[in-house]
Amino acid sequence: MKALITGASSGMGRDMARILSKQGYDLVLVARRRDRLEELKNELGGNVEILSLDISREENCHEVYRAAGDIDVLINNAGFGAFGEFSETDLATEMNMLDVNVRAMHILMKLFLNDFIKKDHGNILNVASAAAFMPGGPLLDSYYAGKAYILSLTRGVSKELKKAKSKVRVAALCPGPVQTEFEMVAGVDFSSVGLKSEYVARYALDKLFKGKTVIVPGVLVKIGRFITRMLPDCALLSAAYIIQAPRRRIAGKADQHE
């Protein structure tokens, strides 16, 4: 069995690599930071291939597909956020973020899904966010919108596969705050409320292999998801702004990703 993980140099991607390695999977690990990938490869041992590529570039997504070969699990984990008023955040940074969070996910999912359908086997996990359940995300506008896209696409494709009686499974992971390097890059602080990355990674993989389509770790997020179905959009948007505003920890904009 073989798994491909993007954004594998830290956080949930790194933890998923550790978990799958212990389960006997060969791994293809993708991220920009080669030194981090080398460290993880040395730690894991076994059959681990690393690809130091920036998947915000479409040609690199196709290179990942060609280099990975025949895989059984695709984990679209790479992503980052940009915090601030939409009128003030840097356009180039936002476009890069959408290229990583949304476009690369879409391309890799499309390429590998077709292979999985042909052999009637495979699992795809797209990392979205609890933000995807919201009508919008003041101060993280583009990030929330991108995560909503991921959730919507995953749900739609999952239904198509079920209607076709395919054994291929597609799932969206929708955690709340997770303690990873996302905080530093986006300029927010989740240290007091975020779930441990290892817990979320283990929970997500367990639910993926059990066939769950929308994976929501953590009791508080499950409760929050229920509440979002009850409240009007205007109240949810006001709540999102109130929650996000105090979390800004550093000035500036996101300029890096896994």
Side-chain angles (χ1 to χ4, degrees), residues 81-132:
F83 188 96
E85 300 279 351
F86 183 74
S87 60
E88 298 176 355
T89 48
D90 180 64
L91 178 59
T93 297
E94 289 178 313
M95 292 300 98
N96 184 243
M97 180 186 69
L98 293 174
D99 283 340
V100 175
N101 294 13
V102 177
R103 198 159 180 260
M105 177 280 306
H106 187 118
I107 293 170
L108 292 173
M109 180 180 175
K110 186 88 162 183
L111 294 173
F112 284 107
L113 179 66
N114 286 329
D115 290 344
F116 289 175
I117 290 173
K118 288 175 184 176
K119 62 183 183 181
D120 200 25
H121 169 77
N123 295 274
I124 298 175
L125 179 65
N126 296 323
V127 177
S129 167

Side-chain angles (χ1 to χ4, degrees), residues 178-229:
V178 180
Q179 295 176 22
T180 69
E181 290 184 8
F182 173 90
E183 307 165 64
M184 177 186 69
V185 176
V188 294
D189 186 357
F190 296 148
S191 58
S192 62
V193 296
L195 294 172
K196 296 293 185 181
S197 172
E198 183 181 359
Y199 166 79
V200 175
R202 192 173 300 279
Y203 183 92
L205 291 171
D206 178 65
K207 295 300 182 182
L208 171 68
F209 295 138
K210 289 180 178 178
K212 186 76 172 176
T213 300
V214 180
I215 302 170
V216 183
V219 174
L220 291 178
V221 179
K222 288 183 173 68
I223 294 172
R225 184 186 179 193
F226 175 77
I227 292 174
T228 61
R229 297 170 178 170

Side-chain angles (χ1 to χ4, degrees), residues 20-239:
L20 290 173
S21 178
K22 289 179 180 178
Q23 293 178 1
Y25 279 81
D26 295 334
L27 298 174
V28 181
L29 307 179
V30 183
R32 295 195 311 173
R33 296 175 288 188
R34 174 169 289 277
D35 58 337
R36 292 284 193 92
L37 293 175
E38 292 281 5
E39 289 176 8
L40 184 57
K41 179 179 179 178
N42 292 335
E43 173 194 331
L44 298 177
N47 191 357
V48 178
E49 180 181 357
I50 61 174
L51 298 173
S52 178
L53 293 168
D54 180 357
I55 60 171
S56 68
R57 300 172 59 182
E58 181 175 348
E59 62 268 28
N60 286 345
C61 293
H62 288 275
E63 176 60 25
V64 167
Y65 172 69
R66 288 190 295 268
D70 184 24
I71 66 170
D72 304 282
V73 180
L74 167 64
I75 299 174
N76 278 311
N77 171 70
F80 69 101
F83 188 96
E85 300 279 351
F86 183 74
S87 60
E88 298 176 355
T89 48
D90 180 64
L91 178 59
T93 297
E94 289 178 313
M95 292 300 98
N96 184 243
M97 180 186 69
L98 293 174
D99 283 340
V100 175
N101 294 13
V102 177
R103 198 159 180 260
M105 177 280 306
H106 187 118
I107 293 170
L108 292 173
M109 180 180 175
K110 186 88 162 183
L111 294 173
F112 284 107
L113 179 66
N114 286 329
D115 290 344
F116 289 175
I117 290 173
K118 288 175 184 176
K119 62 183 183 181
D120 200 25
H121 169 77
N123 295 274
I124 298 175
L125 179 65
N126 296 323
V127 177
S129 167
F133 302 127
M134 295 290 287
L139 302 180
L140 279 169
D141 303 278
S142 300
Y143 177 82
Y144 271 59
K147 294 303 183 180
Y149 178 95
I150 295 170
L151 177 59
S152 179
L153 180 68
T154 303
R155 279 172 158 168
V157 173
S158 178
K159 176 59 71 174
E160 291 172 357
L161 293 169
K162 289 176 181 177
K163 288 293 185 180
K165 301 188 184 305
S166 173
K167 294 180 182 178
V168 179
R169 289 172 289 194
V170 178
L173 172 60
C174 299
V178 180
Q179 295 176 22
T180 69
E181 290 184 8
F182 173 90
E183 307 165 64
M184 177 186 69
V185 176
V188 294
D189 186 357
F190 296 148
S191 58
S192 62
V193 296
L195 294 172
K196 296 293 185 181
S197 172
E198 183 181 359
Y199 166 79
V200 175
R202 192 173 300 279
Y203 183 92
L205 291 171
D206 178 65
K207 295 300 182 182
L208 171 68
F209 295 138
K210 289 180 178 178
K212 186 76 172 176
T213 300
V214 180
I215 302 170
V216 183
V219 174
L220 291 178
V221 179
K222 288 183 173 68
I223 294 172
R225 184 186 179 193
F226 175 77
I227 292 174
T228 61
R229 297 170 178 170
M230 310 279 292
L231 296 176
D233 287 354
C234 59
L236 293 172
L237 289 167
S238 295

